[in-house]
Amino acid sequence: MVLPTGSTKKRKLPLPSTTADHDDDDTNENPPSDPTKSHVDGEAISSSSSSDDDESHKHDEHEPAAPPPPAPPSPKPPNPYDQIKRTIVINDGKRESLIRLIGLKSLFAKQLPKMPKEYIARLVFDRRHKSLALLSGDPRKKFTDEEIIGGICYRSYPDMRFAEIAFCAVSASQQVKGYGTKLMNLLKMHAVTEGIEYMITYADNYAIGYFKKQGFTKAIQMPKARYQGLIKDYDGGTLMECYIHPSIDFTRIPQMVQAQKEFILQRIRATSKSDKVIYPPLPPEFAKRMESSSRSTGAAARALAVPGVIEAGWTMSDLMASTGGAKDADQKKDMLKKELLSLVQKVQEKQFSWCFRDPVDTNEVTDYLEVVKDPIDLRTMEKRVRKGDHYKSKHQLYADMMKMVNNCKIYNDPESTYHECAVSLEKFLATLFPLKSGEPSIE
């Protein structure tokens, strides 16, 4: 739960033979032969070699040349992660491990000030938890608190093939250097070796953005039966998960994306004709000829009359949608969508909104639908806003917000925590959606 957020040996070569060695070999192993016989044999050997060469040349003239050998595969570019010093630390009782666990505890306590220090120490030193630590390469900092650049403390559940992240932090002096992303990618690579399929965590409002960038999502795909009862629920935290694909090299994500981009561009170039077909320039009378077009369709008609536009697949309806009033309407729709998303996110960031972020689980609260006939929650509202066709104004979003507040008040007792959250949210909505004069309020 993240609430605030070798040496190679040189082979000896044989020493070169000396002249004395050659003389000894000639004397003992190769006795001198008849020089005349050697001369004759030499001529015979030379003649035979010449004859063989002629035959080989004739043979080569009739056979095609052998294909060149295949080019060797290009070497992989260096992986920047190879330069990062890291280690998995567990409480195995060894002095080195205990020193680094103390450094991790100090890092988490400093970077996560809202977490109780006793709670951090208990989990970090728990023998069921492991920690991935990024280490400084400075030998003067070895086995000191300053050696720890960043760390993630987690607990794996091998039988259920998931791991829960407890703490994640990077030293303040090393932030904005990409260590947060590198730390998570290294943990994913290590998780594959442990057979972990999902990583799950409770993130507070400050950490949700970070986890989204690392591939975590609020939409939990892992069956609830796999983690229910194994992890603790935290008020004010958002449950997020990340699927760990066993075939992805998470340390080479940029190279992978670049390779996919190049492949797509190559396929486009193979089928595209935009760089192969050249149309003649527009005639001088083109502008006068298009003056008769109506104002509503004039821009689209002129664009469609340009040679090559129709061949590229454009139609009048496509061009009309991108020009004139349709374009203005789309811009207004996009502006409203952005504004509504901003309002929903502001509500989600509030501490008292934790019980409104997800739909009520009717399998656990079996009588909820008997009391609340029209349930609504922040996740459903966000989906409606992103779809773009449900809300036509801010007033409609405000109506759903107040419906959510009233549903909570109806079902829960006035002295319950949920009712208190509903009252706090209602007060906040009054500041977020100020009523205009003469506009009726929504109860």
Side-chain angles (χ1 to χ4, degrees):
M1 178 213 58
V2 181
L3 282 180
T5 20
S7 61
T8 56
K9 295 182 179 180
K10 294 184 178 180
R11 186 174 57 183
K12 292 184 178 180
L13 299 175
L15 295 174
S17 302
T18 60
T19 306
D21 295 334
H22 286 295
D23 292 343
D24 293 340
D25 291 342
D26 291 340
T27 305
N28 298 330
E29 297 181 8
N30 300 322
S33 56
D34 186 354
T36 305
K37 185 175 181 181
S38 298
H39 178 71
V40 174
D41 292 343
E43 286 182 352
I45 293 172
S46 176
S47 174
S48 175
S49 300
S50 177
S51 176
D52 292 342
D53 291 340
D54 293 340
E55 290 296 329
S56 64
H57 285 306
K58 292 179 181 179
H59 188 67
D60 292 342
E61 291 176 358
H62 297 285
E63 288 191 0
S74 57
K76 283 187 177 181
N79 193 336
Y81 284 79
D82 295 339
Q83 307 298 325
I84 300 177
K85 189 177 179 182
R86 68 269 190 180
T87 184
I88 296 292
V89 189
I90 59 176
N91 188 0
D92 54 5
K94 297 181 180 178
R95 179 178 179 273
E96 294 82 359
S97 300
L98 293 175
I99 291 175
R100 284 172 175 163
L101 286 175
I102 292 173
L104 286 164
K105 178 194 67 87
S106 301
L107 173 67
F108 294 142
K110 185 176 181 180
Q111 297 301 122
L112 309 175
K114 293 185 179 181
M115 295 297 299
K117 294 182 180 180
E118 297 80 6
Y119 178 72
I120 294 175
R122 180 163 61 87
L123 264 61
V124 169
F125 286 94
D126 181 22
R127 294 183 182 273
R128 296 170 296 181
H129 283 72
K130 302 178 183 178
S131 296
L132 171 64
L134 299 187
L135 307 177
S136 171
D138 190 347
R140 296 172 297 179
K141 298 179 180 180
K142 191 172 183 179
F143 297 128
T144 65
D145 287 355
E146 296 180 356
E147 182 188 21
I148 308 297
I149 295 176
I152 294 181
C153 179
Y154 69 99
R155 179 181 175 181
S156 59
Y157 297 87
D159 295 339
M160 297 300 176
R161 303 194 309 279
F162 82 93
E164 179 191 12
I165 296 178
F167 311 114
C168 174
V170 176
S171 175
S173 61
Q174 301 295 332
Q175 290 184 5
V176 201
K177 295 182 180 180
Y179 281 117
T181 298
K182 293 181 174 67
L183 186 64
M184 187 61 68
N185 287 339
L186 290 171
L187 178 62
K188 292 176 183 178
M189 294 298 295
H190 179 75
V192 173
T193 64
E194 294 189 12
I196 293 174
E197 188 179 13
Y198 290 95
M199 284 197 297
I200 198 167
T201 187
Y202 271 96
D204 78 335
N205 296 329
Y206 299 100
I208 289 176
Y210 164 76
F211 281 105
K212 279 186 176 180
K213 292 180 181 178
Q214 309 310 319
F216 284 73
T217 176
K218 300 177 185 178
I220 308 300
Q221 301 295 328
M222 181 172 57
K224 194 171 184 179
R226 285 172 61 173
Y227 64 86
Q228 191 173 25
L230 296 177
I231 65 174
K232 182 181 178 182
D233 294 332
Y234 295 91
D235 294 344
T238 301
L239 187 64
M240 304 183 73
E241 75 164 21
C242 178
Y243 173 69
I244 309 299
H245 199 290
S247 301
I248 293 180
D249 185 352
F250 293 96
T251 64
R252 291 187 178 273
I253 294 295
Q255 293 89 334
M256 185 189 309
V257 173
Q258 183 63 28
Q260 292 174 346
K261 179 181 177 181
E262 289 297 329
F263 175 79
I264 293 173
L265 290 176
Q266 288 177 4
R267 300 296 295 175
I268 292 175
R269 295 188 192 103
T271 58
S272 175
K273 297 180 180 179
S274 60
D275 60 336
K276 302 179 180 65
V277 180
I278 300 177
Y279 293 93
L282 297 177
E285 64 276 7
F286 177 81
K288 293 182 179 180
R289 195 169 58 204
M290 299 304 300
E291 288 178 354
S292 59
S293 302
S294 64
R295 291 184 177 181
S296 59
T297 62
R302 286 193 294 271
L304 201 63
V306 175
V309 174
I310 296 178
E311 288 79 359
W314 288 88
T315 62
M316 178 63 78
S317 58
D318 295 333
L319 294 171
M320 287 292 295
S322 61
T323 58
K327 188 175 181 180
D328 294 339
D330 288 342
Q331 289 179 348
K332 292 180 180 178
K333 187 176 178 180
D334 290 340
M335 289 177 62
L336 177 63
K337 181 179 178 180
K338 291 179 180 178
E339 186 176 8
L340 297 182
L341 276 178
S342 175
L343 293 172
V344 173
Q345 290 171 357
K346 286 180 180 179
V347 174
Q348 290 174 334
E349 290 172 357
K350 291 299 177 182
Q351 193 77 11
F352 47 73
S353 70
W354 62 270
C355 55
F356 302 104
R357 291 171 187 161
D358 298 307
V360 175
D361 190 347
T362 54
N363 293 325
E364 295 181 359
V365 189
T366 55
D367 64 336
Y368 185 76
L369 295 179
E370 297 176 5
V371 179
V372 177
K373 302 302 180 182
D374 190 8
I376 189 66
D377 59 275
L378 291 174
R379 185 194 293 184
T380 302
M381 286 187 235
E382 184 178 357
K383 288 181 179 179
R384 290 177 177 180
V385 173
R386 292 188 183 279
K387 189 177 180 181
D389 297 328
H390 187 84
Y391 297 112
K392 307 299 182 183
S393 66
K394 290 170 56 178
H395 188 76
Q396 290 180 337
L397 178 65
Y398 176 62
D400 270 356
M401 292 276 188
M402 288 303 301
K403 183 195 301 181
M404 181 174 64
V405 169
N406 293 329
N407 288 345
C408 184
K409 288 182 176 180
I410 291 172
Y411 185 82
N412 297 284
D413 295 331
E415 297 179 356
S416 65
T417 304
Y418 299 100
H419 196 279
E420 293 178 1
C421 290
V423 173
S424 299
L425 177 57
E426 185 176 10
K427 294 179 180 179
F428 178 68
L429 291 177
T431 62
L432 200 62
F433 297 87
L435 294 178
K436 298 178 182 178
S437 59
E439 187 176 1
S441 61
I442 298 176
E443 296 294 341

